[in-house]
Amino acid sequence: MSALPVPADATLPATTAQLFIDNEAVPAQTGQTLPVVDPSTGTVFGQIARGQRDDVDRAVRSARRAFDGPWGRTDAAQRGRLLLKLAQLVEREREPLARIESRDTGKPLRQARADATALARYFEFYGGAADKLHGQTLPYQEGYTVMTLREPHGVTGHIVPWNYPMQIFGRSVGASLAAGNACVVKPAEDACLSLLRIGELAAEAGLPPGTLNIVPGLGAEAGQALAEHPGVDHLSFTGSTDTGRRVAQAAAAHFCPVTLELGGKSPQLVFADADLQAAMPVLVNAIIQNAGQTCSAGSRILVERSIYDATVAQLAERFAALRAGPASADLDLGPLVTRKQQQRVWDFLSDAQASDLRFAAQGQIVDHAPSEGFYQAPVLLADVPIEHRLSQHEIFGPVLIVTPFDDEAQALAFANGTDYGLVAGVWTQDGARQMRIARRLQSGQVFINNYGAGGGVELPFGGVKHSGYGREKGFEALYAFTSLKTVAIRHG
Ligand code: TXE
């Protein structure tokens, strides 16, 4: 039986996607389900099993058996081969995976395709890295040999949000499996179909039963149960700051280490000497991609006053040309993921209106977009004071904030002046300033004269301050998924 309704096109009948445990599709123990909603139309097109505490427990036990059994005995080179095989299967299934994701999340098709490509690349990167992760020998006193061993934690839990299910799954599960852990994944209740299909592909690639288990369900039920489970040895969480705090508290009760990626209010600093022509499409894309529902969205632009009016005018021209519509129409933006997200963005925009902020430009929702879909036209807000709520909080929608600054010191103060610190962009031709600012920005990543570096599977990623802690992506992530053991031998 398939875990999935497999909605490879937009017209499939409603069926129920099950949990994926021990390489098998199984119903939730309560038999309960949750609706799957198409954000482009606002209609229900399927059901997913509603995993709860008992299901999470079953998945953790299954992962433990795999870790103590066949998976734990699989050597690093073979783990790498299996991940490379999984990468190939994801490539083979790129189009159906993209279509599932696009329907489930509302992403325009080409963005969903890019996510599937990135997922394959994560498995490829970590497949290649699996047998290159090792400890060291350390100089110590005469008569000793001391070494460190990098060992997997055991069972790792992964709480995945709905904005980039495939990419976030790839970066955390890929690294964890490469390091030798067995995984239990709790996808977001709003978007889990692609991940259930990937579970099946992992089984097809040859991962032993229990190595990768997927339990969809509500955050407060399955998510909380996973964070609290004493059998989980490491947790990766991507989502909101409030939920991240709850997850970290639950994990602390059993001393479980956590990696937290909690979003941001990422600034791009544009100085008067910037190459504006090169910057402009990047500035727009950084907030438009995935309808602004991106943890690293470039959601604030700080512009030196001498070029401020010209920059806002150029941005406004581009914003006015942007179009939002159904995911299948593959426009600049799809709908937001849920009615709840749409309401959240509306609340921020009502606040902007109440505060008399300047709406410098707005894109359009195309006429043929279904009226029940969760659409939001992109909005450009100019002259927004740094202390305003819209400058301080993550909106998670296609709303770009622009603020002028007078000098480098003020630019830095504004850039660092929120609770977040995930990503920053700096646009200037002045090499000394590039380095000065890169060092002083409170941010996990800094991009100079670019933004996001095309996704950067290889580039360590994570935040400071309320954006979280720990690093994902790149080789660095592998360290988080291992614990270091020191072995000291006295041989005289
Ligand atoms: O997030 P939650 P929501 C931000 C963004 C967005 C806001 C709210 O600003 O507008 O969060 O989104 C699971 N124990 N980001 O409500 O609640 C949940 O099921 C364990 C930023 O969707 O953080 C889902 O799988 N897990 C972000 C995941 O946590 C729990 C991505 C994220 O949900 C849980 C998403 C609990 N008690 C939202 N409660 C980013 N950093 O990219 C919920 N979950």
Side-chain angles (χ1 to χ4, degrees):
M1 181 172 58
S2 170
L4 262 193
V6 195
D9 59 47
T11 54
L12 282 163
T15 42
T16 298
Q18 311 286 26
L19 317 175
F20 189 75
I21 299 176
D22 254 339
N23 279 2
E24 280 184 16
V26 291
Q29 291 187 29
T30 63
Q32 292 177 356
T33 62
L34 296 165
V36 185
V37 177
D38 179 344
S40 296
T41 61
T43 55
V44 173
F45 70 97
Q47 299 284 321
I48 49 166
R50 177 176 175 173
Q52 301 197 36
R53 193 165 290 274
D54 287 349
D55 302 298
V56 167
D57 184 55
R58 182 173 169 192
V60 172
R61 286 173 193 279
S62 158
R64 178 65 59 191
R65 275 195 306 277
F67 182 74
D68 289 342
W71 181 242
R73 289 195 297 273
T74 304
D75 65 37
Q78 179 60 8
R79 291 201 302 270
R81 279 182 215 113
L82 290 171
L83 284 172
L84 292 172
K85 171 83 177 148
L86 180 53
Q88 285 169 1
L89 295 179
V90 170
E91 283 288 356
R92 186 192 76 190
E93 298 289 314
R94 178 171 176 262
E95 190 58 24
L97 280 170
R99 286 181 182 274
I100 292 171
E101 195 77 314
S102 176
R103 179 114 195 249
D104 204 8
T105 64
K107 274 174 206 275
L109 262 174
R110 68 180 183 290
Q111 289 183 20
R113 288 188 186 112
D115 286 3
T117 300
L119 172 68
R121 176 74 190 116
Y122 277 114
F123 291 140
E124 184 184 61
F125 179 88
Y126 286 115
D131 59 356
K132 290 147 197 90
L133 179 66
H134 54 75
Q136 296 177 315
T137 53
L138 308 178
Y140 194 56
Q141 295 169 15
E142 178 60 25
Y144 284 83
T145 296
V146 180
M147 69 186 91
T148 55
L149 305 177
R150 282 217 165 265
E151 299 182 332
H153 293 294
V155 175
T156 56
H158 306 258
I159 299 175
V160 178
W162 40 263
N163 54 341
Y164 289 88
M166 286 196 275
Q167 291 214 37
I168 293 170
F169 178 96
R171 78 188 186 198
S172 101
V173 170
S176 180
L177 291 175
N181 301 286
C183 302
V184 178
V185 179
K186 208 300 279 175
E189 50 272 43
D190 305 309
C192 63
L193 297 181
S194 61
L195 303 194
L196 289 166
R197 176 70 186 129
I198 295 158
E200 293 179 337
L201 294 179
E204 185 182 337
L207 262 68
T211 307
L212 171 60
N213 306 280
I214 304 172
V215 184
L218 296 174
E221 296 176 354
Q224 189 73 27
L226 186 60
E228 288 173 1
H229 201 295
V232 173
D233 303 308
H234 179 279
L235 265 171
S236 302
F237 173 82
T238 302
S240 62
T241 40
D242 285 346
T243 304
R245 190 178 286 116
R246 251 198 306 280
V247 165
Q249 282 167 349
H254 58 109
F255 301 98
C256 175
V258 186
T259 299
L260 293 178
E261 197 269 87
L262 307 178
K265 192 71 183 175
S266 297
Q268 299 216 53
L269 288 62
V270 183
F271 286 87
D273 66 346
D275 179 349
L276 256 196
Q277 219 184 331
M280 204 46 68
V282 181
L283 296 175
V284 173
N285 187 55
I287 185 67
I288 291 315
Q289 183 180 315
N290 210 33
Q293 302 165 118
T294 304
C295 44
S296 54
S299 52
R300 295 187 290 152
I301 301 191
L302 309 172
V303 187
E304 192 159 7
R305 200 174 292 279
S306 62
I307 59 159
Y308 181 74
D309 289 343
T311 305
V312 172
Q314 286 190 41
L315 286 169
E317 195 179 323
R318 285 173 184 263
F319 262 67
L322 293 168
R323 297 286 175 271
S328 56
D330 216 3
L331 303 171
D332 302 303
L333 302 81
L336 299 172
V337 70
T338 53
R339 178 82 63 208
K340 179 180 139 195
Q341 274 304 120
Q342 188 188 39
Q343 188 59 52
R344 175 188 171 98
V345 175
W346 286 352
D347 289 347
F348 275 104
L349 290 175
S350 303
D351 193 354
Q353 269 166 344
S355 312
D356 268 339
L357 293 183
R358 176 155 76 98
F359 283 66
Q362 195 153 339
Q364 280 181 19
I365 299 169
V366 293
D367 290 342
H368 61 87
S371 58
E372 293 304 307
F374 311 138
Y375 298 97
Q376 171 59 52
V379 174
L380 179 69
L381 292 171
D383 320 337
V384 183
I386 181 69
E387 60 283 353
H388 194 280
R389 181 168 166 261
L390 273 88
S391 284
Q392 291 291 322
H393 294 284
E394 185 173 61
I395 299 172
F396 232 55
V399 180
L400 183 59
I401 306 290
V402 196
T403 306
F405 67 80
D406 289 312
D407 55 26
E408 190 177 308
Q410 191 176 49
L412 262 171
F414 285 179
N416 290 337
T418 72
D419 286 339
Y420 292 105
L422 190 60
V423 176
V426 184
W427 296 86
T428 176
Q429 305 291 334
D430 179 338
R433 174 187 279 155
Q434 290 170 1
M435 275 319 302
R436 234 178 4 249
I437 293 193
R439 284 176 174 272
R440 290 177 190 163
L441 279 168
Q442 296 167 346
S443 183
Q445 284 187 331
V446 176
F447 294 100
I448 312 282
N449 293 333
N450 73 99
Y451 193 81
V457 166
E458 306 85 347
L459 314 182
F461 175 71
V464 298
K465 304 196 287 187
H466 292 196
S467 289
Y469 47 75
R471 293 292 174 264
E472 298 191 279
K473 300 192 181 185
F475 207 84
E476 191 70 25
L478 291 167
Y479 299 132
F481 286 111
T482 54
S483 92
L484 199 68
K485 180 183 283 173
T486 305
V487 180
I489 306 164
R490 185 167 182 206
H491 41 67

